[in-house]
Amino acid sequence: MKALVLSGGAGTRLRPITHTSAKQLVPVANKPVLFYGLESIAAAGIREVGIIVGDTAAEIRAAVGDGSRFGLDVTYLPQAAPLGLAHAVLIARDFLADDDFVMYLGDNFVVGGITDLVDDFRATRPDARILLTKVPDPRAFGVAELDVEGRVVRLEEKPPSPRSDLALVGVYLFTPAVHQAVRAITPSLRGELEITDALQWLIDHHHPVTSTIVSGYWKDTGNVADMLEVNRSVLELLTPADEGTVDAATEIIGRVRIGPGATVHGSRIVGPVTIGARTTITNSYVGPSTSIAEDCRITDSEIEYSIVLSGSSVHGVGRVEASLIGRNVEITPAPPIPAAHRLVLGDHSKVQISS
């Protein structure tokens, strides 16, 4: 069995972070989201992985390499434009050959991995197995309709009037039958080859398509709110460690991981919190569900329920929370007079200012 991991796409919902970084490499608990998926694939006993890459191909290649660090053999498959999940299957035809495969969206996060799902698929081998979860607003997802016996009868991509609240999770399992389906469908109104249309083709042509309701935790990390929530959930399982230097004036409460070469002076850290290598925390408060990457500086500030990427600094700021802070960012107090906001913002930014 092989794996097809999708790591193209522009990541527009995470702008401006994704103007300069692949969305699949934005870290959760100081580890890129993509790495969690690759680790789950390796744990399921799969070794051959094809990674679909687009404009951020060089960055994905630099991060993942040949896959050996994960126990994988990685092949990179360029996609000229994000033309849909079924299009990714289409261009991966030679790599996939006639093997069964799992398709995994590189910016999705499934707690508990996929080993049980893969083992069950290998044992039963329907032509497709989809994962479903209930969501409050299914209009943003592919949506499945089940009959009274729980069989999949209909799938739609981002329907304006969903027939159910069951959204497709970004993990799919297929036999080679799907290759006929992706060749048979035509682009949707969005101009993409939709995997939901390929699945519907399989259903209409009497191929067995089964589903599993995900009872564990799943998130599409495509926006800031979901990134922060996934970060919180991963940190809940954090194993404490102290590989840095913490002075006697610092108070550490709960599960806190301090990376090599990090220093903490006169501060209060309330876990779960992870602090990256060579980061310095001075006279500050770091609250629960916060990940601070390597080479950062937090001074005379408070931060909670946030993600701070590498090389950034927060100095003299009263309170930062529910924030995703990019690489090499500087956050400082604004001048007290005149009372005005001074902003330098990239395209597609979103700012919330207290009046």
Side-chain angles (χ1 to χ4, degrees):
M1 192 169 186
K2 294 176 179 174
L4 184 65
V5 177
L6 276 60
S7 293
T12 54
R13 291 179 294 160
L14 278 174
R15 286 177 177 168
I17 299 292
T18 49
H19 279 307
T20 55
S21 176
K23 64 178 179 177
Q24 298 84 7
L25 297 181
V26 176
V28 167
N30 287 352
K31 182 165 66 176
V33 172
L34 175 61
F35 288 11
Y36 291 96
L38 295 176
E39 290 168 355
S40 293
I41 289 166
I46 299 170
R47 294 293 173 261
E48 293 184 73
V49 178
I51 300 183
I52 300 289
V53 291
D55 292 342
T56 59
E59 190 178 3
I60 298 292
R61 285 175 181 266
V64 177
D66 63 2
S68 58
R69 63 183 292 187
F70 305 99
L72 302 172
D73 180 9
V74 168
T75 298
Y76 293 95
L77 305 169
Q79 185 181 34
L83 298 176
L85 305 188
H87 181 261
V89 176
L90 197 64
I91 65 175
R93 182 67 177 93
D94 290 343
F95 166 77
L96 294 168
D98 291 323
D99 294 311
D100 295 350
F101 67 98
V102 55
M103 183 168 73
Y104 197 115
L105 274 59
D107 60 350
N108 276 224
F109 188 91
V110 180
V111 170
I114 60 171
T115 299
D116 290 344
L117 296 164
V118 169
D119 288 346
D120 183 69
F121 181 81
R122 283 172 164 151
T124 58
R125 289 198 78 234
D127 282 328
R129 166 70 60 85
I130 60 175
L131 277 62
L132 304 173
T133 191
K134 291 187 177 183
V135 296
D137 185 4
R139 291 175 298 176
F141 302 92
V143 177
E145 181 184 358
L146 309 182
D147 64 15
V148 292
E149 296 180 359
R151 293 173 297 197
V152 184
V153 295
R154 183 178 174 85
L155 296 123
E156 291 183 282
E157 185 64 29
K158 297 180 174 64
S161 300
R163 295 170 179 262
S164 82
D165 60 355
L166 293 172
L168 275 74
V169 173
V171 179
Y172 308 78
L173 299 105
F174 294 110
T175 70
V178 73
H179 296 300
Q180 185 179 2
V182 298
R183 290 196 303 270
I185 62 175
T186 56
S188 66
L189 294 176
R190 300 194 305 162
E192 297 186 6
L193 291 176
E194 310 285 2
I195 200 66
T196 45
D197 290 342
L199 287 161
Q200 189 64 50
W201 188 94
L202 290 172
I203 293 169
D204 293 343
H205 290 80
H206 310 294
H207 290 268
V209 175
T210 61
S211 66
T212 297
I213 305 295
V214 176
S215 57
Y217 188 84
W218 164 81
K219 276 289 185 183
D220 170 0
T221 61
N223 61 52
V224 173
D226 286 341
M227 285 291 302
L228 294 173
E229 180 59 19
V230 170
N231 185 65
R232 182 201 63 78
S233 71
V234 174
L235 289 178
E236 289 295 329
L237 305 175
L238 182 73
T239 300
D242 183 0
E243 300 177 82
T245 301
V246 178
D247 72 0
T250 292
E251 183 181 16
I252 303 288
I253 300 173
R255 297 184 304 281
V256 176
R257 178 180 294 167
I258 301 173
T263 57
V264 185
H265 303 286
S267 297
R268 187 168 188 259
I269 315 294
V270 181
V273 165
T274 182
I275 298 169
R278 301 175 302 281
T279 283
T280 300
I281 313 290
T282 305
N283 298 330
S284 295
Y285 165 77
V286 180
S289 304
T290 300
S291 294
I292 302 173
E294 66 277 6
D295 300 310
C296 293
R297 290 179 293 111
I298 312 295
T299 307
D300 298 322
S301 300
E302 298 182 6
I303 186 166
E304 184 172 315
Y305 192 63
S306 295
I307 298 173
V308 183
L309 275 58
S310 61
S312 292
S313 64
V314 181
H315 174 72
V317 178
R319 184 77 170 183
V320 175
E321 62 181 31
S323 298
L324 174 57
I325 298 168
R327 295 172 177 82
N328 302 308
V329 169
E330 295 183 20
I331 301 177
T332 59
I337 297 176
H341 300 291
R342 179 181 297 174
L343 306 174
V344 179
L345 304 173
D347 296 346
H348 308 289
S349 294
K350 180 179 179 181
V351 177
Q352 293 178 315
I353 298 175
S354 298
S355 57

